[in-house]
Amino acid sequence: MFIRHFLGTAVLALAASGALAAQDHITIGMALEPPNLDPTGGAAAAIDEVVYANVFEGLTRFAPDGAIVPGLAESWEVSEGGAVYTFHLRDGVSFHDGSKMDGEDVVFSLERARAEDSTNAQKALFAGIETVELVDPLTVKVTLANPDGAFPFKMAWGDAVILAPETAEQAATAPVGTGPFSFDKWTHGDSVDIARYDGYWGAAPALASATFKFISDPNAAFAAMMAGDVDAFPNFPAPETLMQFDANPMFKVIVGSTEGETILSINNKSGPLADVKVRKAIAHAIDRQEIIDGAMHGYGTPIGTHFAPHNPDYLDLTGQSAYDPEMAKGLLEEAGQADLKLRLALPPPAYARRGGEIVAAQLRKVGVQTEISNLEWAQWLEQVFKGKDFDLTIVSHTEPADINIYARPDYYFQYDNPDFQALMTELEKTAEPAMRTDILHAAQKMIADDYVNGYLFQLAKTGVANSKIEGLWENAPTQANDLTGIRWVD
């Protein structure tokens, strides 16, 4: 009797202990595994989805509503001319290895990012920097070649996080940052674990630990949520099942917006695709709503240029590339491309794989044949993004306000227009809001006129979570699963 009672008490104690422990751990589902964990050395959105605001921090950061707020810099000043920024760093910040973070680390990180041999995927963010000077251990002065009112915005990107020179080279596999969570382990092909860092300079997060679980198959993602193997899936890959979760009180569905312009990217230097008539024909062969309905089950906003509809400077140009298959056929005939055959390379996300099949069928109707190749993420980055070995691809550009990528002639879709580059240079120098709006409108119109890419839709943020979880971002001003405000509630 005593033994049975003792064992029963022990089991209850253990169960209670486990229940309590479960309330400070979360398992986050992600469709893609990051190729590495260094946001300063990789273009994949999945990197930031794990480490942004969790493991790594920058001088500034994005708040959940998209506002730019202090990060490792508690404040900053800008000179009257707008070309000199002085950042005042927080005192008492340490890296996860216990070493102190100070101005020398900031100087190192910015110089590393803008160096000639930099592998930073967003090197253009730092192109305007002329000098980075250490004023004192907690003060750094950045002098720009031209005034740039958007510089604090640029410093909020994951590509601009601060690393220590002693550990920067290991960031890809064993990152050491200043965030509220430290890297624990990476089980390749399965998950990444992080743990609360007790030496964090700011408010301690409610979560003691977290696991990012990689589940690419939409059916497996649904099963994992239903089984409780995953607590939240902020970017759920099976939108067709959201109604089932919405009807179940155990879950909540979170629908918001992202910065993700989902486009049919066109290699502007690949044979017949160098002809604007061919690119225009492809644009008019695309029925955006059919793609949104078929691939995203109605979640998504049609776009006609590379700009987010929720941005106050958005220009609606969808009518300029409206679905018109007869026009598409005529343009192809004018271009002498009646029997066009193109390669369509698709990365793993469901929007790309599902959308690609629909795009291929739509192009077939106007006489364009496509050869589809399904690539893993690492393959896509190597072959398409770096190697530019493709004709068409589908990808969502989730970086915030990134129309400036069209000013890079060597970017993967290889658009080289000096007039557009001049517009971006002018934008960099302009601080007055109305003037910036005019420039951004002109930029949106220019790439739409040149039919650089096929503009499909703005990616919606469709998430599913256990109903007892609070603090998940509704919208995605940057690609992040920020765990700092997440907690379990009864």
Side-chain angles (χ1 to χ4, degrees):
M1 188 71 176
F2 171 77
I3 294 174
R4 287 181 61 193
H5 175 73
F6 175 79
L7 287 174
T9 303
V11 169
L12 286 172
L14 285 170
S17 173
L20 287 172
Q23 299 307 302
D24 62 7
H25 177 86
I26 192 171
T27 299
I28 299 284
M30 287 175 53
L32 296 176
E33 180 174 14
N36 66 69
L37 296 175
D38 180 6
T40 71
I47 300 173
D48 277 352
E49 287 178 22
V50 172
V51 302
Y52 187 88
N54 298 324
V55 176
F56 286 117
E57 299 174 301
L59 293 172
T60 60
R61 59 158 292 171
F62 289 100
D65 63 356
I68 304 301
V69 297
L72 293 177
E74 61 182 1
S75 65
W76 58 89
E77 298 139 14
V78 58
S79 66
E80 189 173 337
V84 180
Y85 282 82
T86 303
F87 292 94
H88 301 283
L89 308 181
R90 298 183 189 275
D91 197 6
V93 177
S94 66
F95 287 99
H96 299 147
D97 62 0
S99 62
K100 183 179 176 60
M101 192 288 299
D102 60 20
E104 290 186 358
D105 300 300
V106 174
V107 173
F108 163 77
S109 297
L110 296 185
E111 293 287 18
R112 175 176 177 261
R114 75 188 194 98
E116 190 173 338
D117 62 350
S118 169
T119 59
N120 195 297
Q122 300 295 338
K123 195 174 176 180
L125 294 173
F126 314 93
I129 297 175
E130 276 200 339
T131 60
V132 185
E133 301 172 67
L134 182 67
V135 178
D136 61 49
L138 294 178
T139 310
V140 174
K141 184 170 75 172
V142 180
T143 302
L144 308 176
N146 298 293
D148 185 0
F151 192 67
F153 165 83
K154 294 176 179 178
M155 293 299 98
W157 285 45
D159 309 81
V161 297
I162 303 305
L163 300 86
E166 299 83 6
T167 55
E169 294 307 312
Q170 70 185 61
T173 55
V176 177
T178 61
F181 296 91
S182 61
F183 171 75
D184 183 10
K185 65 176 179 179
W186 185 356
T187 305
H188 289 272
D190 182 72
S191 60
V192 166
D193 291 290
I194 59 177
R196 184 166 57 205
Y197 175 53
D198 292 335
Y200 184 55
W201 59 266
L207 296 173
S209 59
T211 298
F212 294 92
K213 183 81 171 173
F214 310 124
I215 308 174
S216 59
D217 179 71
N219 294 326
F222 175 78
M225 281 300 307
M226 293 300 292
D229 296 333
V230 170
D231 300 312
F233 220 121
N235 295 289
F236 193 63
E240 67 274 14
T241 63
L242 290 177
M243 289 182 64
Q244 295 180 55
F245 288 110
D246 205 26
N248 189 330
M250 291 176 58
F251 302 99
K252 57 183 173 184
V253 173
I254 307 166
V255 179
S257 63
T258 77
E259 291 294 321
E261 290 83 20
T262 306
I263 63 177
L264 176 66
S265 300
I266 301 174
N267 188 339
N268 283 230
K269 289 187 177 178
S270 179
L273 296 175
D275 186 343
V276 68
K277 286 184 179 179
V278 175
R279 300 196 302 272
K280 184 176 180 179
I282 290 171
H284 283 292
I286 300 304
D287 183 342
R288 297 183 182 94
Q289 197 59 51
E290 185 180 21
I291 297 168
I292 293 170
D293 292 341
M296 305 304 296
H297 290 265
Y299 293 99
T301 305
I303 56 173
T305 188
H306 197 108
F307 220 75
H310 56 257
N311 191 299
D313 292 326
Y314 174 70
L315 197 60
D316 185 357
L317 297 171
T318 50
Q320 188 168 319
S321 52
Y323 179 53
D324 190 338
E326 293 307 311
M327 180 186 286
K329 291 177 185 176
L331 286 163
L332 288 169
E333 188 174 348
E334 286 178 34
Q337 297 293 340
D339 299 310
L340 187 59
K341 292 182 175 62
L342 298 172
R343 298 168 299 154
L344 175 57
L346 300 175
Y351 68 75
R353 296 282 172 88
R354 294 173 177 179
E357 295 290 344
I358 299 170
V359 165
Q362 292 175 350
L363 291 177
R364 198 178 305 123
K365 290 179 181 178
V366 302
V368 177
Q369 302 300 317
T370 57
E371 178 188 346
I372 293 178
S373 58
N374 291 326
L375 307 179
E376 292 308 308
W377 192 240
Q379 288 177 288
W380 188 92
L381 288 170
E382 192 63 32
Q383 178 182 321
V384 177
F385 190 75
K386 294 180 181 177
K388 307 175 183 66
D389 181 14
F390 76 106
D391 294 326
L392 306 172
T393 189
I394 295 178
V395 70
S396 191
H397 283 256
T398 56
E399 296 83 5
D402 62 346
I403 195 170
N404 62 347
I405 59 179
Y406 289 76
R408 307 177 197 171
D410 61 345
Y411 202 61
Y412 78 101
F413 43 70
Q414 301 193 89
Y415 173 62
D416 188 359
N417 184 339
D419 292 336
F420 188 90
Q421 294 156 24
L423 271 181
M424 291 299 100
T425 299
E426 188 64 26
L427 183 68
E428 290 279 336
K429 300 177 183 178
T430 304
E432 205 279 314
M435 292 176 65
R436 288 181 64 85
T437 297
D438 289 343
I439 295 170
L440 287 169
H441 281 182
Q444 292 172 65
K445 187 74 167 60
M446 191 176 292
I447 60 173
D449 289 345
D450 286 343
Y451 295 90
V452 183
N453 293 310
Y455 301 104
L456 305 180
F457 60 89
Q458 195 73 12
L459 192 67
K461 190 173 191 294
T462 52
V464 181
N466 185 300
S467 60
K468 294 184 178 181
I469 293 172
E470 284 189 351
L472 287 163
W473 282 10
E474 178 180 332
N475 301 311
T478 190
Q479 55 265 54
N481 290 312
D482 181 356
L483 304 183
T484 56
I486 293 179
R487 63 191 183 101
W488 288 85
V489 295
D490 293 329

